[in-house]
Amino acid sequence: MLINAANLDTLRVGFKTSFQGGLSQAESMWDRVATLVPATQKEQKYGWLGKLPRVRKWIGPRAVQNLSQSDYSIKEFPWELTLGVDRDDIETDNLGIYTPLFQEMGASTKALPDQLVFELLLAGFSTNCYDGQYFFDTDHPVIDADGSTINSVSNTGGGAGAAWFLLCTRMPLKPLIYQRRKDFEFVAKDRPTDDNVFNNKEFVYGADARANVGFGFWQQAYGSKQTLDATQYKAARAALVGMKGDNGNPLGNTPNLLVVGASNESAGRKLLNSEYASGGETNEWKGTAELLVCPWLP
């Protein structure tokens, strides 16, 4: 193949098409548990996470609900993936080997939100959220109905096994946040005069983005490392359904998604799909949530 502008344009289009093909074929599940929040700056503050607004009976003047109750913020990170194509491969038309690589490049960029979101979910047992406690913790501070007493509220079952999670994802904000400032964009440095070509006889193609993840409301998530069985599932549902915000306001949680890794898949299917429980009695938990088996979890 001659190294000229027309052939390089054709080559670039072909590589980009393979990249986009990988994007379209790759499966994604991060948006089942996280809300996409577009960002306009490197560090986005989420002070309003400290307050779940609730309608109140209008008696006297309006009561302004302050949305700046925490200093929680998510700082973006840059991400990139770059592939090099040897000039000799172009000149000898040895390009078939690159098609699956560019497809994999697209699939890999598509997988980044999944990887970040589920890594953070798993890290919730040891990573702080907006109230300064671990996202899954036994002592989240919540103001009681009297307006002064602070209660300790738990959203975890503890344990030391493989983690599983029961979530309420039907609210406007899901339990996790995927903050995106710039989505992946395919770029090329493939002019014969580019330094990478001139010095290294290598045509370079890449994609880059700016994004990060963070926690939303811990009140909508329950994490456990106990054995996934009817007893622990019942406790998780009770904790979420009975969850209250400050001043004793019920949150109206309806747990609808059970997230597990491969090690808990069998237990999750039995719990949510079986007609009968282990003792032969009717399985009262059948259909009470949807099962999401995530390859990013153990």
Side-chain angles (χ1 to χ4, degrees):
M1 178 185 291
L2 294 176
I3 303 298
N4 56 39
N7 285 339
L8 290 176
D9 286 345
T10 301
L11 195 63
R12 185 188 313 116
V13 170
F15 286 155
K16 186 173 183 179
T17 299
S18 297
F19 169 80
Q20 292 173 332
L23 274 175
S24 62
Q25 293 172 13
E27 295 184 2
S28 183
M29 55 180 65
W30 67 267
D31 54 356
R32 302 289 304 280
V33 303
T35 298
L36 172 63
V37 176
T40 58
Q41 49 195 351
K42 285 187 175 182
E43 186 172 2
Q44 194 110 324
K45 290 189 175 294
Y46 294 83
W48 46 267
L49 283 175
K51 188 74 173 180
L52 282 167
R54 284 292 178 265
V55 175
R56 61 183 286 274
K57 188 175 182 180
W58 194 348
I59 302 176
R62 288 179 180 268
V64 178
Q65 300 185 34
N66 185 357
L67 299 183
S68 300
Q69 298 294 310
S70 75
D71 194 33
Y72 188 70
S73 63
I74 300 175
K75 185 178 181 180
E76 71 173 36
F77 290 123
W79 307 91
E80 66 85 21
L81 178 56
T82 306
L83 294 179
V85 178
D86 193 288
R87 178 172 181 147
D88 291 344
D89 287 334
I90 295 177
E91 291 178 333
T92 58
D93 255 351
N94 185 28
L95 298 173
I97 59 174
Y98 290 101
T99 297
L101 287 178
F102 279 92
Q103 290 174 336
E104 183 58 35
M105 181 183 184
S108 182
T109 59
K110 180 74 172 288
L112 178 67
D114 287 77
Q115 182 179 349
L116 295 179
V117 163
F118 289 105
E119 281 181 353
L120 183 66
L121 184 64
L122 191 59
F125 297 96
S126 58
T127 307
N128 290 349
C129 62
Y130 73 84
D131 65 358
Q133 302 295 121
Y134 293 156
F135 186 67
F136 298 113
D137 212 336
T138 58
D139 55 352
H140 289 284
V142 177
I143 300 174
D144 204 356
D146 61 15
S148 58
T149 305
I150 298 179
N151 294 327
S152 291
V153 177
S154 174
N155 68 331
T156 181
W164 54 272
F165 309 92
L166 185 62
L167 309 177
C168 173
T169 64
R170 291 173 172 154
M171 301 294 189
L173 184 71
K174 295 173 184 175
L176 275 70
I177 295 170
Y178 180 64
Q179 178 179 294
R180 184 174 68 198
R181 189 177 181 195
K182 176 190 175 186
D183 203 359
F184 279 100
E185 179 183 5
F186 187 86
V187 295
K189 292 196 68 176
D190 58 357
R191 293 182 300 174
T193 55
D194 285 338
D195 288 343
N196 48 285
V197 180
F198 183 80
N199 293 325
N200 303 319
K201 65 181 183 67
E202 185 177 53
F203 294 81
V204 174
Y205 304 85
D208 63 279
R210 293 201 297 270
N212 201 4
V213 292
F215 294 116
F217 294 121
W218 59 264
Q219 297 93 331
Q220 295 169 213
Y222 185 97
S224 178
K225 294 184 179 181
Q226 299 284 359
T227 299
L228 178 55
D229 57 21
T231 299
Q232 295 298 328
Y233 180 75
K234 178 181 179 179
R237 286 189 63 86
L240 285 183
V241 172
M243 197 70 70
K244 295 181 179 180
D246 286 341
N247 304 116
N249 292 318
L251 300 182
N253 282 341
T254 304
N256 64 299
L257 189 66
L258 178 63
V259 183
V260 302
S263 58
N264 276 318
E265 179 178 2
S266 178
R269 293 190 182 281
K270 291 175 182 176
L271 191 62
L272 298 180
N273 299 333
S274 296
E275 292 285 348
Y276 301 100
S278 57
E281 69 277 15
T282 300
N283 177 19
E284 62 181 318
W285 304 118
K286 179 185 177 183
T288 54
E290 184 181 353
L291 182 67
L292 180 64
V293 182
C294 177
W296 302 99
L297 297 177

